[in-house]
Amino acid sequence: MTVDVLRRAAPADRRARVAVAVLFFTNGALFANLLPRYPQIKADLGIGNAAYGLAVAAFPAGAIAAGLAAGILVRRFGSARVAVGGTLLTGVGILAAGLADSVVVFAGALFLAGAMDAFTDVAQNAHGLRVQRRYGRSIINSFHAIWSIGAVTGGSMAAGAIALGVPRGQHLLFSGVVFAVAACVALRFCLPGPETEAAEEEDSGDGARRTAPAPATGARIRYVLAALVLIATAGTLVEDAGSSWATLYLSDSLHASVALAASGYVALVGAQFVGRLIGDRLVDRFGQRAVARSGALIAAVGMGLALAVPTVPGTVLGFAAAGFGVATLVPAAMHEADELPGLKPGSGLTIVSWLMRLGFLLSPPVVGLVADATSLRAGLLVVPLAGLLVLLLAGVLQPRRR
């Protein structure tokens, strides 16, 4: 295998990297500003857990409905413009959801926000990969870590606004304007030119030429691809448990204050950021398989203990363990799918990216139905169960390179 000489990034490339980082940051922070407001919205609308679960499922439903159109828009308008346009419209949807006076309007606004978020997600990753090709080495994980910083920042902003008694409308309008301005400024420093330049690059993004993988049978390909989808979906299930239910569980079931209840989600995303920050080094040393299994065990045991012995501090630590444990799952599944032999370039990655959103779509109503039938504590068993699923399927991931 031949190795390309690493190129020194030009000033324009370094500015583009910062610009993409800003887009990832704003994407994480925008929606996180709404999440701690969910208990107030639920109470104001007077809806039960099942109706609430169905309503918040509108966000991933919008993302699934619009996801396939993202590629068309990127090719037509460019990834940077689509990312910024999606950011602006996501902010509009989030503001509308915060001001909704009925469950129908609330769900409709979340559907819009989810659809626009799907455009932003695809486009910012596409532009991040363009920048990565310019660098000649992997930098995409750093963007996802910055997304986590944005999510923690947004959740903290919301917790502060709640503690200060700032009305939802004013709070969400302020955050929407701030991040819209940031995204528009970032657009000026993104890479110019068409997206087709990415197809002309032959290297893998980390400085190494791709080598032809060993052939695999159709049955093996289908099994591995299905396992990767389930691994990625397990990661999204845990993320959704934190975003949709952590605040409610802490406030309603454990009677934490509204401001303190927001710490569950912040702890999950903050720990996820730490996991992503050190994930590359761990994978290089121990391999994707060992890291995924260890993380799954941490998530299953940590959240399992938190649910078995419910306390506010223990639950916050449980959500932190879950976030840390699943930090590398989605990137690992996407990487393996992209390298899967027997598929056209990009097909495996597209399938995993598309289907893993079902985790966000199915998790809220399922957890809500279980919560109404038994308790929200029982509904959150989805977190340790997701960890156990990854333990069973992680064998499809790559072991440590010798």
Side-chain angles (χ1 to χ4, degrees):
M1 180 177 70
T2 61
V3 179
D4 293 337
V5 177
L6 295 182
R7 298 183 293 271
R8 180 177 179 82
D13 300 332
R14 293 197 294 270
R15 289 193 294 268
R17 181 178 182 177
V18 174
V20 174
V22 170
L23 293 177
F24 271 82
F25 180 89
T26 59
N27 183 246
L30 265 177
F31 191 49
N33 265 276
L34 177 65
L35 295 176
R37 294 288 191 171
Y38 273 177
Q40 295 174 333
I41 295 173
K42 179 176 179 288
D44 290 346
L45 296 179
I47 55 178
N49 286 326
Y52 167 79
L54 289 171
V56 297
F59 187 90
I64 291 174
L68 289 180
I72 299 173
L73 292 175
V74 166
R75 288 190 293 271
R76 175 67 177 83
F77 300 104
S79 55
R81 291 179 180 176
V82 173
V84 173
T87 297
L88 301 182
L89 292 175
T90 298
V92 171
I94 288 172
L95 177 60
L99 297 176
D101 57 1
S102 71
V103 67
V104 174
V105 175
F106 178 57
L110 287 179
F111 187 91
L112 169 65
M116 297 304 104
D117 180 75
F119 294 159
T120 300
D121 185 41
V122 172
Q124 68 187 8
N125 276 283
H127 206 79
L129 289 171
R130 283 188 64 190
V131 177
Q132 176 172 281
R133 292 183 184 95
R134 296 288 191 94
Y135 269 69
R137 57 185 171 85
S138 178
I139 60 172
I140 194 68
N141 288 323
S142 67
F143 294 138
H144 287 271
I146 289 170
W147 183 95
S148 296
I149 296 177
V152 171
T153 301
S156 300
M157 287 173 61
I162 292 170
L164 294 174
V166 179
R168 279 201 306 271
Q170 294 180 17
H171 158 221
L172 295 175
L173 177 62
F174 173 78
S175 65
V177 170
V178 167
F179 297 124
V181 171
C184 289
V185 172
L187 178 61
R188 297 186 57 191
F189 300 98
C190 288
L191 295 176
E195 301 301 312
T196 52
E197 69 176 25
E200 298 172 0
E201 296 288 344
E202 297 179 358
D203 63 73
S204 61
D206 59 0
R209 296 280 184 183
R210 292 186 184 273
T211 57
T217 64
R220 173 64 180 172
I221 292 172
R222 287 191 292 271
Y223 166 73
V224 172
L225 192 56
L228 293 175
V229 168
L230 289 174
I231 289 172
T233 302
T236 62
L237 285 172
V238 174
E239 289 184 34
D240 181 76
S243 63
S244 296
W245 299 103
T247 304
L248 281 176
Y249 178 64
L250 284 163
S251 61
D252 292 355
S253 301
L254 302 184
H255 311 294
S257 65
V258 176
L260 181 59
S263 63
Y265 172 70
V266 172
L268 184 144
V269 180
Q272 187 180 56
F273 162 72
V274 174
R276 287 172 173 170
L277 199 62
I278 65 176
D280 287 332
R281 282 175 288 177
L282 292 176
V283 168
D284 287 341
R285 182 168 184 178
F286 301 107
Q288 292 278 18
R289 185 183 301 172
V291 172
R293 282 177 172 164
S294 300
L297 186 62
I298 291 172
V301 173
M303 197 63 194
L305 289 175
L307 294 173
V309 186
T311 63
V312 172
T315 299
V316 172
L317 289 176
F319 278 112
F324 182 82
V326 304
T328 64
L329 290 186
V330 171
M334 288 183 171
H335 171 76
E336 295 293 337
D338 199 38
E339 299 289 330
L340 192 60
L343 296 177
K344 294 180 180 179
S347 296
L349 177 59
T350 299
I351 292 171
V352 170
S353 300
W354 174 258
L355 292 179
M356 77 174 187
R357 290 185 180 273
L358 290 176
F360 285 113
L361 178 63
L362 297 178
S363 178
V366 169
V367 174
L369 289 171
V370 173
D372 278 349
T374 55
S375 67
L376 184 52
R377 181 182 172 192
L380 287 174
L381 285 172
V382 67
V383 175
L385 290 176
L388 294 177
L389 179 64
V390 174
L391 282 172
L392 292 174
L393 299 175
V396 301
L397 300 174
Q398 290 296 317
R400 178 184 177 185
R401 294 180 180 178
R402 299 186 183 279

